[in-house]
C-alpha cells in the first residue's frame, strides 16, 4: 500500500501543496474557480516554519492506533483499512476539539468545509486524497511538489522505523511501544482479513 | 475464560471489545445499571442544549452486544463482590461467577448537604435519564441555579443559556474551573459567560431548597433567599465502588490499580472514572475522570484480562471547552492548587487575537498548560507532557503563535 512520505529536509516552503490541497478539496476542483467558492476551501496540509525558519510540511500521519480516534467523543473518527487512512465523518463530528487535544502533530483544523453539511463547523484534516486515489490519481500535494519533499511510495520497513523513532521521541502515544508480543502481528492479520472482505 | 464486566460506559465497552478481539471463544457478560445502549456521556450536555437529539448519542451500533457475543445484563447494579468465591451479586438477587472481573462502574455525582434535595426541579447531571427529566421541566423554567463552577456545572450553565434561560451560578472558589485553570483564564471564561447572560456569585452555597412539590426558592448560606424553578448540582463526582470489599481490594479515592490495570486482588481489574492510577504531570496517584483516559484504560485492561500484558503509562487531566466564540484547552498542572515555587511559568497574551497561553514547567519538563483560542497545537503540548520529554528549546517558541511540531523535531533530528 502506497503512502505519502514527508522529507522535510527537501522542503523549500513554497506552499504549493497547500494550494493544491485546498483546490482538490473544493466543490469545483480547480484552483481558479475554488477561490470564489463559499465556504472557502482550505488546505489540509500546513507548511509551517521550523526553528531556523526552514519549511516544514505538516500533515496527518494516519497513526495506528490513532490518538485522535481514541479521544473523539461521538466516535466520528475511523480508519479506512484499504488505504490506511484515518477519516472524520462530518455528519457525526460535534466540533468539540477533543481531537485537537489528542493529535501529537497538531494537524487538525476547525471550519466549515465544502465537503461537509452546509454551514457546519467541523474538524478537518488530510484524507490522503482518497477520492483522487479512487480515480487512479495520486494525492494532490505529492503531484504538485517539485522538490521531492512529498513522495507517494511503498513505505518500506526502514523508513517506517525512522518515522516511528522520531515520533516516539516526541510522543509515546503516537507510536505505542510494542510490549505485547504477538499483538501487532495479530492486528495486522485482522486488518488483512478486513481488507480482503472489503475488496471482495 | 469467563469474563464479567461491571458498567457499560466507555471503559467497560472498550474493554469488552478488546477482549473479544483477542479471545474469540471467551464468555463475556456485561452487567450495568443503565439500559440505554452504549452512549457518549459528555454529549448529554449537547442534549440539554438542544443541539442534538437522543438518536445522536449512541457510540456503538444497536447490535453491539450480539455482534461481539456479549451477554448484557442491564437495569441492575452490582451490590456485593466476594473475592474468595469469585462471585458478584446483583440487586435482583442473582449471582454471577467470573474468572476475570473488570470494575468499570464510573462515578456518581457528589450530593450536597442541603434540605429539599428530593423536590422536583433539583437535578444532578450524569446520565441520559437526568437530562431527559430536565428537558421535561424546561418549558416553565424562568430562572435556573447551577451549583459548582467545575466542568459539569459549567456545561449545564452553558446549555441552559443557549436555551435562553437565565442562569445564576454559585461557586465556592473565586472563579470558575478553578480546579483546571489559573485565575486569568478562569476570569476570561467567566466574562464570556457573563456577556452572554450568566450571573456568577462566589463564596455562597445553598443550605435548603423550598417548594411544595416543585422547587421555588433556594436558601443561601448568607441568609438570603433566591427564587428559582430549577437547580443543577454540579459539585463533582466520586468513584462508584461502594460495593467493593475494601478489606481485600485497595481503594483510595478510586480503586487502586497497577500498570496492568489490575487491582490488589489478582484477576480483578478496574478502569475508567472508578480507577486510580498515576497522574503523569503530578507523578502521584490520581483519579482523572475523563473520556479519553476511560477509553485508554479500558483497552489496556482488556489486553491484560485476555492474557496479553500491556502497560498503561499513567493518566493526564485535560479538557477542552468551546463556549460561544471562545475556546479553552487545559492539561496537567495549571491551577494554583497544583503548582508550587518549584514550577516555572511562562505566559503570553494577545488581546487582538483574543489569545492567552500559559505554560508550566518543572525543570525542563512541561507539566501543564492552558490556552485560550488558537488551540490547534494543543495536542503537541499535551504529548510533550505525556512523554515527559525534556524541552531544550527556548520556552518562547512554545508560546509563539507560529509554534508547530517541527520546532521540536528539528532539535531531535539535527
Ligand atoms: C455532563 C458531562 C460532561 C462531560 N464532558 C466531558 C468532556 O468534555 N470530556 C471528557 O473527557 N470527559 C467528559 N466527561 C466525563 C466522561 O463522561 C467520563 O470520564 C466517562 O464517561 C467515564 O466512563 P466510564 O466508562 O469510566 O464510566 P461511566 O460512563 O460512568 O459508566 C459507568 C456505568 O456503570 C454503571 N454502574 C455504576 N455502578 C454500577 C454497579 N454497581 N453495577 C452495575 N453498573 C453500575 C453506570 O450506571 C454507568 O452506566 C463528562 C461527564 C459528564 C457527566
Ligand atoms: S493523531 Fe493526528 S496525525 Fe495521528 S491520525 Fe489523528 S490527526 Fe492524524
Ligand atoms: S471535533 Fe469532531 S472529530 Fe474531533 S473529537 Fe470532536 S467530534 Fe471527534
Amino acid at each position: 500500500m502506497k503512502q505519502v512520505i514527508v522529507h522535510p529536509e527537501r522542503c523549500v516552503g513554497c506552499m504549493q501543496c497547500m494550494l493544491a490541497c485546498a483546490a482538490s478539496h473544493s466543490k469545483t476542483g480547480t484552483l481558479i474557480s475554488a477561490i470564489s467558492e463559499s465556504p472557502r476551501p482550505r488546505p489540509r496540509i500546513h507548511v509551517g516554519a521550523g526553528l531556523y525558519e526552514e519549511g516544514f510540511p505538516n500533515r496527518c500521519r494516519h497513526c495506528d492506533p490513532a490518538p485522535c480516534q481514541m479521544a473523539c467523543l461521538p466516535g466520528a473518527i475511523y480508519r479506512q483499512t484499504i488505504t490506511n487512512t484515518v477519516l472524520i465523518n462530518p455528519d457525526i463530528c460535534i466540533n468539540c476539539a477533543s481531537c485537537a487535544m489528542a493529535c501529537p502533530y497538531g494537524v487538525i483544523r476547525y471550519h466549515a468545509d465544502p465537503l461537509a453539511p452546509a454551514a457546519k463547523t467541523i474538524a478537518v484534516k488530510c484524507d490522503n486524497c482518497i477520492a483522487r486515489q479512487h480515480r487512479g490519481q495520486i494525492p494532490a500535494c505529492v503531484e504538485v511538489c517539485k522538490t521531492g519533499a512529498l513522495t507517494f511510495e511503498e513505505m518500506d520497513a526502514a523508513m517506517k522505523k525512522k518515522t516511528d523513532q522520531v515520533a516516539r521521541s516526541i510522543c509515546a502515544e503516537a507510536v505505542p511501544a510494542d510490549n505485547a508480543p504477538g499483538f501487532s502481528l495479530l492486528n495486522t492479520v485482522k486488518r488483512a482479513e478486513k481488507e480482503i472482505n472489503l475488496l471482495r | 475464560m469467563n469474563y464479567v464486566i461491571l458498567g457499560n460506559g466507555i471503559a467497560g465497552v472498550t474493554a469488552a471489545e478488546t477482549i473479544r478481539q483477542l479471545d474469540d471463544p471467551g464468555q463475556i457478560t456485561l452487567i450495568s445499571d443503565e439500559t440505554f445502549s452504549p452512549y457518549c456521556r459528555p454529549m448529554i450536555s449537547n442534549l440539554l442544549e438542544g443541539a442534538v437529539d437522543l438518536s445522536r448519542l449512541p457510540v456503538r451500533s444497536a447490535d453491539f452486544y450480539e455482534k461481539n457475543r456479549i451477554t448484557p445484563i442491564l437495569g441492575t447494579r452490582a451490590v456485593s463482590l466476594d473475592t474468595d468465591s469469585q462471585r458478584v451479586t446483583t440487586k435482583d438477587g442473582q449471582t454471577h461467577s467470573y474468572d476475570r472481573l473488570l470494575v468499570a462502574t464510573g462515578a456518581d455525582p457528589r450530593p450536597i448537604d442541603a434540605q429539599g434535595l428530593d423536590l422536583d426541579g433539583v437535578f444532578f447531571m450524569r446520565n441520559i435519564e437526568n437530562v431527559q427529566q430536565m428537558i421535561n421541566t424546561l418549558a416553565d423554567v424562568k430562572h435556573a441555579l447551577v451549583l459548582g463552577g467545575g466542568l459539569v456545572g459549567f456545561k449545564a450553565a452553558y446549555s441552559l443559556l443557549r436555551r435562553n434561560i437565565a442562569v445564576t451560578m454559585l461557586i465556592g472558589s473565586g472563579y470558575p474551573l478553578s480546579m483546571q485553570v489559573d485565575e486569568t483564564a478562569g476570569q476570561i471564561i467567566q466574562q464570556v459567560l457573563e456577556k452572554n447572560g450568566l450571573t456568577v456569585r462566589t463564596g455562597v452555597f445553598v443550605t435548603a431548597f423550598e417548594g411544595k412539590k416543585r422547587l421555588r426558592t433556594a436558601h443561601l448560606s448568607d441568609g438570603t433567599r433566591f427564587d428559582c424553578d430549577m437547580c443543577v448540582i454540579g459539585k463533582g463526582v466520586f468513584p462508584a465502588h461502594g460495593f467493593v470489599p475494601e478489606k481485600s481490594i485497595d481503594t483510595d479515592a478510586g480503586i487502586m490499580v497497577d500498570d496492568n490495570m489490575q487491582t490488589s486482588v489478582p484477576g480483578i481489574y478496574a478502569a475508567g472514572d472508578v480507577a486510580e492510577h498515576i497522574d503523569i504531570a503530578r507523578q502521584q496517584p490520581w483519579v482523572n475522570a475523563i473520556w479519553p483516559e476511560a477509553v485508554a484504560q479500558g483497552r489496556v485492561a482488556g489486553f491484560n484480562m485476555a492474557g496479553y500484558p500491556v502497560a498503561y503509562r499513567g493518566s493526564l487531566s485535560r479538557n477542552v471547552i468551546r463556549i460561544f466564540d471562545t475556546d479553552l484547552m487545559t492539561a496537567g498542572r495549571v491551577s494554583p492548587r497544583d503548582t508550587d515555587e518549584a514550577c516555572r511559568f511562562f505566559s503570553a497574551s494577545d488581546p487582538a487575537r483574543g489569545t492567552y497561553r500559559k505554560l508550566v514547567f518543572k525543570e525542563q519538563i512541561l507539566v501543564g498548560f492552558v490556552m485560550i483560542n488558537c488551540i490547534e497545537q494543543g495536542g503537541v503540548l499535551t504529548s510533550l507532557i505525556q512523554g515527559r520529554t525534556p524541552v531544550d528549546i527556548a520556552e518562547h517558541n512554545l508560546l509563539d503563535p507560529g509554534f508547530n511540531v517541527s520546532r521540536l523535531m528539528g532539535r531531535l533530528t539535527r
Side-chain angles (χ1 to χ4, degrees):
Chain A
M1 181 189 326
K2 285 191 174 175
Q3 306 223 271
V4 176
I5 298 174
V6 183
H7 312 270
E9 68 283 0
R10 295 191 206 155
C11 174
V12 293
C14 69
M15 302 192 184
Q16 288 298 319
C17 53
M18 292 175 68
L19 292 175
C21 178
S24 83
H25 292 95
S26 67
K27 283 185 191 133
T28 52
T30 67
L31 188 57
I32 297 296
S33 49
I35 296 168
S36 50
E37 277 180 30
S38 170
R40 192 161 52 99
R42 299 210 217 171
R44 297 157 180 230
I45 182 165
H46 313 279
V47 178
L51 263 192
Y52 311 100
E53 298 293 322
E54 72 279 21
F56 177 77
N58 197 15
R59 68 193 283 287
C60 171
R61 310 301 198 276
H62 303 281
C63 319
D64 190 7
C68 58
Q69 184 179 3
M70 308 236 293
C72 176
L73 300 178
I77 305 184
Y78 62 103
R79 179 180 300 277
Q80 190 197 55
T81 42
I82 323 179
T83 55
N84 194 24
T85 302
V86 174
L87 293 168
I88 301 176
N89 182 332
D91 293 334
I92 298 179
C93 174
I94 54 169
N95 187 32
C96 66
S98 290
C99 49
M101 198 164 54
C103 175
Y105 299 99
V107 296
I108 310 176
R109 297 292 178 275
Y110 303 85
H111 49 76
D113 191 78
L115 309 178
K120 186 181 178 192
T121 298
I122 52 150
V124 181
K125 66 166 196 67
C126 163
D127 62 358
N128 273 338
C129 281
I130 45 171
R132 287 174 57 97
Q133 286 198 47
H134 194 69
R135 296 193 295 264
Q137 294 171 293
I138 64 169
C141 57
V142 176
E143 190 178 79
V144 79
C145 181
K146 295 293 177 276
T147 65
L150 299 166
T151 56
F152 191 53
E153 49 189 308
E154 293 295 336
M155 174 93 108
D156 65 47
M159 189 71 192
K160 174 95 179 95
K161 218 165 114 195
K162 185 186 154 204
T163 314
D164 287 357
Q165 250 167 17
V166 175
R168 200 174 300 137
S169 60
I170 301 171
C171 159
E173 195 164 41
V175 184
D178 192 0
N179 49 7
F183 163 60
S184 308
L185 182 70
L186 204 117
N187 257 348
T188 311
V189 173
K190 292 257 170 198
R191 193 153 58 224
E193 274 170 13
K194 265 193 202 152
E195 274 167 26
I196 292 162
N197 281 333
L198 275 168
L199 293 170
R200 240 205 311 256
Chain B
M1 189 68 76
N2 175 17
Y3 305 92
V4 172
I5 297 174
L6 305 178
N8 69 343
I10 198 63
V13 163
T14 308
E17 279 170 338
T18 309
I19 292 171
R20 180 51 79 223
Q21 188 188 359
L22 301 169
D23 182 354
D24 197 65
Q27 241 184 70
I28 306 177
T29 306
L30 204 157
I31 302 172
S32 192
D33 198 15
E34 279 187 274
T35 50
F36 205 81
S37 59
Y39 68 93
C40 178
R41 188 168 309 284
M43 277 178 75
I44 60 173
S45 63
N46 306 65
L47 187 66
L48 178 62
E49 180 190 338
V52 300
D53 63 25
L54 201 57
S55 68
R56 292 284 305 277
L57 266 57
V59 284
R60 294 295 183 272
S61 57
D63 62 353
F64 169 76
Y65 296 116
E66 292 139 57
K67 213 174 62 194
N68 289 291
R69 286 171 285 124
I70 295 166
T71 312
I73 301 179
L74 305 177
T76 189
R77 279 179 93 91
V79 287
S80 71
L81 165 60
D82 184 337
T83 55
D84 294 330
S85 65
Q86 301 193 250
R87 261 199 286 260
V88 175
T89 308
T90 41
K91 203 170 172 189
D92 56 10
Q94 307 273 12
T95 58
H96 312 269
S97 53
Y98 62 83
D99 300 321
R100 298 259 194 286
L101 177 74
L102 176 67
V103 183
T105 45
D108 287 325
R110 193 181 294 284
I112 58 166
D113 187 15
Q115 287 167 353
L117 281 175
D118 52 350
L119 285 173
D120 288 352
V122 179
F123 299 102
F124 292 101
M125 185 160 137
R126 180 69 194 176
N127 53 37
I128 288 184
E129 200 186 332
N130 299 151
V131 169
Q132 278 177 322
Q133 286 170 357
M134 286 188 211
I135 291 173
N136 290 340
T137 64
L138 281 184
D140 50 0
V141 170
K142 298 209 173 43
H143 207 137
L145 193 60
V146 169
L147 309 186
L151 195 71
V152 169
F154 201 83
K155 290 200 168 190
Y158 175 69
S159 300
L160 293 170
L161 287 173
R162 298 279 294 185
R163 292 240 188 205
N164 288 319
I165 291 170
V167 183
T168 298
M169 183 188 260
L170 306 187
I171 49 184
S173 49
Y175 58 92
L177 299 176
S178 63
M179 303 282 271
Q180 283 89 7
V181 304
D182 67 332
E183 184 163 359
T184 310
Q187 262 158 10
I188 295 174
I189 291 301
Q190 178 168 338
Q191 280 161 16
V192 172
L193 285 174
E194 283 173 344
K195 211 173 71 194
N196 287 281
L198 181 79
T199 308
V200 176
R201 294 184 58 185
T202 54
V204 272
F205 53 92
V206 169
T207 53
F209 295 106
E210 194 189 308
K212 278 222 173 70
K213 194 167 167 301
R214 176 76 188 265
L215 170 68
R216 290 291 163 230
T217 305
H219 293 266
L220 306 185
S221 54
D222 61 359
T224 59
R225 299 155 55 93
F226 185 87
D227 290 337
C228 55
D229 22 38
M230 177 177 186
C231 177
V232 184
I233 303 171
K235 299 297 280 183
V237 294
F238 63 94
H241 56 66
F243 64 95
V244 164
E246 291 181 15
K247 283 198 308 307
S248 50
I249 298 185
D250 286 348
T251 54
D252 179 34
I255 299 176
M256 306 296 289
V257 290
D258 64 15
D259 288 353
N260 302 319
M261 303 314 290
Q262 188 163 236
T263 67
S264 53
V265 175
I268 302 182
Y269 297 75
D273 284 8
V274 77
E276 178 167 337
H277 190 262
I278 301 290
D279 178 284
I280 295 173
R282 300 177 175 90
Q283 294 287 304
Q284 65 187 71
W286 207 268
V287 180
N288 280 317
I290 54 170
W291 182 270
E293 296 296 6
V295 175
Q297 294 181 359
R299 218 172 131 75
V300 171
F303 277 125
N304 288 291
M305 290 170 75
Y308 294 81
V310 170
Y312 179 64
R313 52 138 208 226
S315 65
L316 176 67
S317 55
R318 54 193 189 277
N319 264 295
V320 53
I321 301 174
R322 312 192 109 155
I323 43 155
F324 299 102
D325 51 0
T326 303
D327 299 337
L328 168 92
M329 192 188 288
T330 167
R333 304 167 53 182
V334 197
S335 160
R337 48 184 102 194
D338 282 330
T339 53
D340 52 44
E341 320 76 62
C343 295
R344 301 187 297 137
F345 301 90
F346 301 88
S347 63
S349 59
D350 182 347
R353 290 161 158 255
T355 60
Y356 169 69
R357 226 176 245 201
K358 181 175 198 167
L359 307 173
V360 183
F361 281 88
K362 194 124 195 193
E363 280 139 24
Q364 291 304 106
I365 308 231
L366 185 68
V367 294
F369 74 84
V370 56
M371 54 204 323
I372 291 189
N373 293 331
C374 295
I375 57 170
E376 288 85 358
Q377 301 304 319
V380 183
L381 299 179
T382 307
S383 48
L384 270 183
I385 303 180
Q386 287 170 326
R388 292 186 69 73
T389 321
V391 177
D392 62 354
I393 57 173
E395 288 80 7
H396 72 81
N397 274 296
L398 275 62
L399 288 172
D400 180 55
F403 167 71
N404 63 56
V405 69
S406 72
R407 305 218 171 160
L408 302 166
M409 274 188 177
R411 211 48 185 206
L412 293 160
T413 51
R414 223 158 273 264

